[in-house]
């Protein structure tokens, strides 16, 4: 409330100053003719009252610039006419910069919060650009006298550029133009209009000068690269345009795109093509989840009006099915397929000798660009006694042939939740241990609570706020509420996280920078600290998702092969992810937790599946659709769906965010009845009801009433 009062006060003050200026026609004094006619009198006054003249002139100039009153050019000429070139330039330079900064601050105080909140998504890229190169943009604009400076003050005030940066860059950028105008003012008798100071040729010269900061940046990049590569010997020619290291989703897509655009590319894989997703991750886990759900539904046949169903199954047969699914999909990621596409598939361990050389065994190949896509591996925590335990991870769990009677899972993230629920449904007695106060901590609290209740209902023993302390044979000691609890197990699964695979690549010797979490540090173009070495997928982060790895791979391929012409910044604005629990949890964009952390304002709309006809018919009423929108708008910030087939339903919201349409478009789109997809439309209806145009509807009501008379 206090801030709003200050805004109103400042706005009224500015309006009052404008009113006084135009009421008393003060702008009449800002003309060449007035300046010429009164020059001698002004010079005499300055001779008699030097300090008073300088201070008065400085304040008038600062105020007129701050208020963007037309006439700054005349005042600048006047500075030269009264004070001479050197002193006039000094006074005008500081007065104009202070005035511009005051105008900048006023725009920031009055408008920035409103504009940033209203156009948050649109301005996100601009904010990132300003943060990185704002000083260059500002300097270029300041070097072009033809560009309205008051507009620069206004627009820059709406961004997040720092005030001191704005002040000093403005001071430098306006100095040359100020000098020209002040010098012209010192020769006032030869000038008939302000337009004579800058001719078209001069403005063109300044415009070309404005390009200089960007040319300088390009030059600095060239110098920087030369310095980076100085210690390496560059090959005279190359065997390949691009080499991808790692045959998972990221490496496959990078090499696929390279081959598609007729570049010569190679793909190096030391183990199995398809990476973790095909062999130990997405594919086997979803196959197991499907079998477990079929068993669960059969055991709960009464939900569907079936008195009973005899369920017979063998765990080894189910695991055989998992491996048969992998075999069936293998050809999609095979050496044969990619060789047919034009990719040279090389088997072996890759060691990067230089930014352009890779060694595989005794063979050394050269390449213009490298994409590191080596993925990640399960993180193994330093729990006391773990070296005495035959533990499982997402890598080796698929080798199980017997169902564990007592199965303990450490980690309540997506992998832990999915496999805990599946093994409980297959017949294991499952315990789930999680350090934090809730499972699926990345999701919103209502999501975590719903899935937690479902796991408990199915018989899983969940220990939250619990730390794994020690293994003693087939017993896990955990600490919960400062007390030790013993959990007996036949098998224990470690599902705590994943560690990027950077070992053995020679990255430290090359000087490739790593982040604290072990991932390769990349910029917005996915370049590492050696610009022709790119990284994508789990080894780069920030998302450990197969589809994100594929998404990043496009940028690595295109920037690596065509970066000399045009580079593209990686876009994470519509990243979605799913936890394949039952019900599934799918999210795109921001959720409530992220918005609260980042201070993003949002409205929330929620639709419960218990109200959806198809969910009721399928006995799948557990869950909801929740969408966050910008206040006063149908523009989607993020969406979360907890439902059967949530991974399919989220695509509509992902498309909306990617293509810039909102809930009104979804509401007006025909959805099949009865379908789970209708939930998205009904969610849009919930939003619409909350955002009814009440005044318009009141007028419409009166119109209908009038028609009945």
């Amino acid at each position: 409330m206090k801030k709003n009062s200050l805004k109103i006060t400042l706005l009224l003050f500015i309006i009052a100053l404008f009113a006084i200026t135009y009421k008393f026609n003060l702008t009449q004094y800002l003309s060449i003719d007035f300046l010429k006619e009164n020059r001698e009198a002004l010079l005499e006054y300055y001779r008699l009252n030097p300090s008073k003249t300088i201070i008065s002139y400085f304040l008038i100039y600062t105020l007129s610039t701050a208020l963007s009153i037309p006439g700054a050019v005349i005042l600048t000429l006047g500075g030269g006419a009264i004070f001479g070139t050197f002193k006039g330039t000094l006074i005008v330079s500081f007065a104009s910069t202070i005035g511009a900064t005051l105008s900048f601050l006023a725009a920031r105080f009055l408008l920035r919060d409103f504009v940033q909140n209203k156009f948050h998504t649109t301005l996100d890229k601009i904010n990132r650009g300003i943060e990185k190169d704002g000083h260059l943009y500002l300097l270029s604009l300041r070097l072009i006298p033809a560009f309205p400076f008051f507009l620069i003050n206004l627009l820059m005030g709406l961004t997040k550029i720092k005030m001191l940066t704005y002040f000093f860059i403005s001071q430098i950028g306006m100095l040359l133009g100020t000098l020209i105008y002040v010098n012209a003012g010192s020769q006032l008798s030869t000038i008939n209009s302000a337009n004579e100071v800058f001719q078209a040729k001069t403005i063109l010269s300044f415009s070309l000068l404005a390009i200089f900061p960007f040319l300088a940046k390009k030059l600095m990049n060239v110098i920087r690269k030369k310095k980076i590569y100085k210690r390496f010997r560059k090959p005279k020619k190359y065997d390949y345009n691009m080499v991808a290291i790692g045959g998972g989703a990221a490496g496959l897509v990078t090499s696929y795109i390279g081959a598609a655009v007729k570049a010569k590319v190679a793909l190096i894989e030391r183990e199995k093509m398809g990476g973790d997703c095909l062999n130990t991750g997405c594919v086997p886990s979803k196959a197991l989840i499907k079998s477990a759900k079929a068993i669960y539904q059969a055991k709960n046949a009464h939900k569907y009006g079936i008195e009973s169903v005899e369920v017979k199954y063998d765990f080894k047969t189910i695991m055989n099915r998992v491996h048969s699914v992998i075999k069936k999909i293998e050809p999609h990621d095979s050496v044969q397929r990619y060789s047919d596409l034009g990719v040279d598939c090389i088997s072996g361990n890759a060691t990067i000798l230089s930014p352009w050389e890779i060694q595989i065994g005794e063979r050394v190949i050269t390449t213009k660009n490298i994409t590191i896509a080596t993925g990640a591996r399960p993180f193994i925590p330093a729990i006391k006694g773990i070296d005495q335990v035959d533990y499982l991870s997402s890598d080796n769990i698929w080798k199980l042939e017997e169902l564990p009677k007592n199965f303990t899972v450490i980690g309540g993230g997506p992998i832990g939740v999915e496999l805990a629920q599946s093994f409980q449904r297959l017949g294991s007695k499952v315990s789930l241990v999680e350090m934090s106060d809730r499972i699926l901590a990345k999701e919103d609290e209502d999501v975590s609570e719903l899935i937690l209740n479902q796991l408990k209902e199915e018989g899983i023993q969940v220990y939250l706020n619990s730390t794994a302390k020690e293994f003693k044979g087939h017993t896990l000691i955990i600490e919960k509420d400062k007390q030790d609890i013993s959990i007996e197990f036949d098998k224990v699964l470690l599902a705590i996280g994943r560690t990027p695979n950077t070992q053995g690549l020679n990255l430290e010797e090359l000087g490739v920078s790593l982040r604290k979490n072990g991932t390769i540090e990349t910029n917005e173009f996915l370049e590492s600290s050696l610009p022709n070495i790119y990284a994508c997928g789990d080894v780069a982060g920030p998302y450990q998702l197969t589809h994100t790895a594929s998404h990043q791979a496009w940028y690595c391929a295109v920037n690596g092969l065509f970066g000399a012409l045009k580079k593209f910044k990686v876009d994470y604005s519509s990243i979605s992810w799913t936890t394949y629990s039952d019900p599934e949890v799918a999210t795109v964009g921001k959720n409530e937790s992220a918005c609260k952390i980042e201070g993003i304002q949002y409205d929330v709309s929620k639709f419960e599946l218990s109200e959806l006809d198809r969910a009721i018919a399928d006995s799948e009423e557990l869950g909801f659709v929740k969408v966050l929108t910008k206040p006063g708008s149908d523009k989607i910030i993020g969406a979360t769906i907890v439902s059967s087939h949530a991974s399919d339903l989220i695509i509509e919201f992902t498309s909306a965010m990617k293509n810039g349409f909102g809930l009104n478009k979804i509401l007006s789109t025909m959805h099949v009845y009865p379908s789970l997809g209708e939930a998205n439309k009904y969610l849009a209806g919930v939003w619409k009801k909350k955002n009814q145009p009440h005044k318009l509807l009141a007028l419409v009501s009166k119109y209908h009433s009038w028609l009945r008379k």
Side-chain angles (χ1 to χ4, degrees):
M1 183 64 74
K2 187 177 179 181
K3 190 174 182 180
N4 287 336
S5 299
L6 287 172
K7 284 183 179 182
I8 293 168
T9 302
L10 177 60
L11 191 60
L12 290 174
F13 176 72
I14 293 171
I15 292 170
L17 288 176
F18 264 106
I20 291 169
T21 299
Y22 288 99
K23 171 71 174 174
F24 296 100
N25 195 23
L26 298 179
T27 55
Q28 66 178 303
Y29 304 114
L30 301 176
S31 69
I32 290 287
D33 291 339
F34 177 84
L35 198 56
K36 282 185 171 184
E37 290 171 7
N38 296 275
R39 184 185 183 188
E40 294 303 323
L42 291 169
L43 285 170
E44 180 62 19
Y45 186 82
Y46 172 52
R47 189 181 65 79
L48 297 173
N49 305 280
S51 299
K52 192 174 181 181
T53 306
I54 291 172
I55 292 169
S56 299
Y57 174 84
F58 191 92
L59 291 174
I60 291 169
Y61 198 113
T62 301
L63 190 61
S64 66
T65 307
L67 294 173
S68 303
I69 295 172
V73 172
I74 305 302
L75 281 172
T76 306
L77 292 171
I82 299 169
F83 307 114
T85 301
F86 176 76
K87 190 179 288 185
T89 300
L90 190 66
I91 295 168
V92 170
S93 177
F94 280 97
S96 61
T97 304
I98 292 171
T101 305
L102 290 173
S103 179
F104 162 86
L105 290 173
R108 172 163 290 185
F109 182 67
L110 292 171
L111 299 171
R112 189 177 71 170
D113 289 347
F114 170 77
V115 172
Q116 287 286 343
N117 290 331
K118 184 78 174 172
F119 306 102
H120 175 79
T121 305
T122 307
L123 291 173
D124 191 44
K125 286 185 179 179
I126 295 174
N127 287 332
R128 290 200 300 269
I130 289 292
E131 186 177 352
K132 186 172 184 289
D133 291 320
H135 58 296
L136 292 179
Y137 297 132
L138 177 59
L139 182 58
S140 293
L141 291 172
R142 288 298 191 201
L143 286 170
I144 306 176
F147 199 92
F149 282 2
F150 78 90
L151 200 56
I152 299 173
N153 302 334
L154 172 63
L155 295 176
M156 284 292 175
L158 303 180
T159 70
K160 295 183 178 181
I161 191 170
K162 293 178 181 178
M163 186 197 76
L164 287 177
T165 301
Y166 186 83
F167 180 88
F168 287 115
I169 295 296
S170 295
Q171 182 88 25
I172 295 166
M174 292 191 290
L175 187 59
L176 187 55
T178 298
L179 177 60
I180 290 174
Y181 273 113
V182 171
N183 184 61
S186 67
Q187 303 168 45
L188 189 64
S189 60
T190 63
I191 299 174
N192 295 312
S193 75
N195 292 332
E196 291 182 8
V197 179
F198 276 97
Q199 302 297 331
K201 204 178 282 187
T202 312
I203 292 176
L204 178 62
S205 300
F206 267 77
S207 299
L208 291 174
L209 181 62
I211 302 171
F212 175 75
F214 293 96
L215 294 177
K217 184 186 176 185
K218 290 285 185 185
L219 180 62
M220 290 302 294
N221 282 337
V222 170
I223 295 170
R224 181 178 65 87
K225 285 184 179 181
K226 197 166 184 178
K227 187 177 179 181
I228 289 171
Y229 293 129
K230 185 179 180 180
R231 62 191 181 96
F232 300 108
R233 187 176 179 181
K234 201 169 187 177
K236 292 181 179 179
K237 62 178 183 177
Y238 304 91
D239 300 320
Y240 297 97
N241 299 102
M242 172 68 79
V243 172
I245 304 174
L252 291 171
V253 173
T254 300
S255 57
Y256 180 96
I257 292 172
V261 297
K262 305 305 178 185
K264 190 174 182 185
V265 295
L267 174 63
I268 304 170
E269 172 55 50
R270 66 182 177 184
E271 293 178 1
K272 294 181 178 180
M273 292 282 281
D276 291 335
C277 183
L278 172 62
N279 298 292
T280 61
C282 316
V283 171
S285 65
K286 302 315 162 279
L288 185 70
I289 287 168
K290 182 65 176 180
S291 295
K293 184 170 183 177
I295 292 168
Y296 178 76
Q297 288 179 324
K299 287 180 178 179
N300 292 272
H302 61 275
K303 288 174 62 177
Y304 311 103
I306 302 168
E307 189 172 329
S308 66
V309 173
E310 185 179 3
V311 184
K312 290 184 178 181
Y313 61 94
D314 175 67
F315 180 74
K316 187 174 180 179
T317 304
I318 288 173
M319 293 302 281
N320 286 340
R321 174 186 173 268
V322 169
H323 290 289
S324 71
V325 169
I326 295 172
K327 288 289 183 186
K328 197 169 184 178
I329 296 175
E330 267 182 359
H332 301 171
D333 300 340
S334 65
V335 169
Q336 182 63 52
R337 183 189 180 210
Y338 277 78
S339 296
D340 291 344
L341 290 169
V343 178
D344 284 354
C345 297
I346 304 170
S347 178
N349 285 300
T351 302
I352 306 174
L353 302 179
S354 79
W356 308 283
E357 296 172 300
I358 303 171
Q359 183 173 357
I360 313 99
E362 299 298 319
R363 181 184 177 188
V364 175
I365 60 175
T366 57
T367 176
K368 283 281 287 182
N369 300 282
I370 299 170
T371 291
I372 300 174
T374 47
R377 62 190 185 278
F379 170 71
I380 307 303
I383 302 171
K384 187 178 180 181
I386 196 170
D387 55 332
Q388 304 299 314
V389 178
D390 185 20
Y391 58 81
L392 298 172
S393 69
S394 58
D395 277 357
N396 62 2
I397 193 172
W398 313 110
K399 296 176 182 177
L400 280 179
E401 294 186 350
E402 292 184 11
L403 180 70
K405 183 180 178 182
N406 295 300
F407 187 61
T408 296
V409 179
I410 302 178
I415 295 173
V417 166
E418 290 174 5
L419 293 179
Q421 187 177 43
S422 293
F423 273 82
Q424 180 74 25
R425 289 177 168 189
L426 290 168
S428 296
K429 183 182 178 182
V430 177
S431 299
L432 178 64
V433 179
E434 169 56 42
M435 285 185 65
S436 73
D437 59 355
R438 58 192 179 96
I439 59 171
L440 302 180
K442 189 177 180 180
E443 305 294 344
D444 287 335
E445 290 185 18
D446 53 353
V447 174
S448 299
E449 185 178 358
L450 187 151
I451 300 300
L452 175 63
N453 291 337
Q454 180 63 24
L455 296 184
K456 287 180 176 179
E457 187 178 311
E458 293 186 25
I460 297 174
Q461 180 68 52
V462 181
Y463 298 90
L464 299 177
N465 295 307
S466 302
T467 305
K469 283 182 62 178
E470 183 180 359
F471 286 106
K472 290 183 177 180
H474 283 274
T475 301
L476 171 65
I477 310 299
I478 66 169
E479 183 180 335
K480 179 177 172 62
D481 300 328
K482 298 182 179 180
Q483 292 185 342
D484 287 351
I485 299 173
S486 297
I487 302 172
E488 301 295 326
F489 64 86
D490 299 314
K491 290 292 180 181
V492 61
L493 171 68
L494 304 178
I496 301 172
R498 293 175 66 76
T499 301
N501 291 324
T502 56
Q503 73 285 354
L505 292 171
N506 199 39
L507 299 182
E508 292 83 359
E509 289 77 4
L510 290 170
V512 174
S513 301
L514 303 180
R515 301 187 183 95
K516 289 182 179 179
N517 64 1
T519 57
I520 295 173
E521 187 174 345
T522 58
N523 62 15
E524 63 269 38
F525 304 111
L526 295 180
E527 297 171 337
S528 72
S529 49
L530 291 174
N532 73 308
I533 297 181
Y534 296 79
C536 58
D538 290 1
V539 77
Y543 301 93
Q544 293 186 334
L545 303 164
T546 298
H547 49 281
T548 306
S550 301
H551 177 72
Q552 291 176 317
W554 183 92
Y555 292 91
C556 288
V558 173
N559 288 337
L561 297 172
F562 301 103
L565 303 174
K566 168 70 177 174
K567 286 185 180 179
F568 296 88
K569 295 180 180 179
V570 65
D571 177 18
Y572 296 126
S573 61
S574 55
I575 294 293
S576 58
W577 61 90
T578 300
T579 299
Y580 292 89
S581 52
D582 187 15
E584 293 177 356
V585 178
T587 301
V588 62
K590 307 285 186 186
N591 57 18
E592 288 193 80
S593 300
C595 286
K596 287 172 183 175
I597 291 170
E598 296 176 31
I600 299 171
Q601 298 296 312
Y602 65 91
D603 288 336
V604 59
S605 301
K606 196 170 184 179
F607 175 75
E608 299 287 344
L609 289 187
S610 57
E611 299 179 37
L612 185 68
D613 293 359
R614 178 58 187 270
I616 295 168
D618 288 350
S619 294
E620 299 276 7
E621 302 105 308
L622 183 64
F624 54 79
V625 180
K626 179 169 66 171
V627 173
L628 309 184
T629 50
K630 293 173 63 176
S633 167
D634 73 331
K635 195 169 186 66
I636 300 167
I637 298 173
T640 297
I641 302 177
V642 184
S643 167
S644 173
H645 297 285
S647 54
D648 302 316
L649 301 179
I650 200 70
I651 293 172
E652 186 167 26
F653 294 121
T654 305
S655 179
M657 292 183 69
K658 178 64 178 176
N659 296 295
F661 61 88
L663 293 180
N664 278 316
K665 292 286 186 183
I666 292 176
L667 184 61
S668 64
T669 300
M670 186 184 299
H671 290 64
V672 173
Y673 176 87
S675 68
L676 292 176
E678 280 190 297
N680 294 347
K681 181 171 183 173
Y682 288 136
L683 179 284
V686 170
W687 173 85
K688 192 70 173 179
K689 188 175 181 180
K690 288 168 62 178
N691 291 273
Q692 289 181 6
H694 295 291
K695 291 182 180 179
L696 178 60
L697 290 175
L699 290 173
V700 172
S701 177
K702 289 179 181 179
Y703 170 72
H704 289 308
S705 178
W706 175 74
L707 288 178
R708 293 195 300 271
K709 291 179 181 178

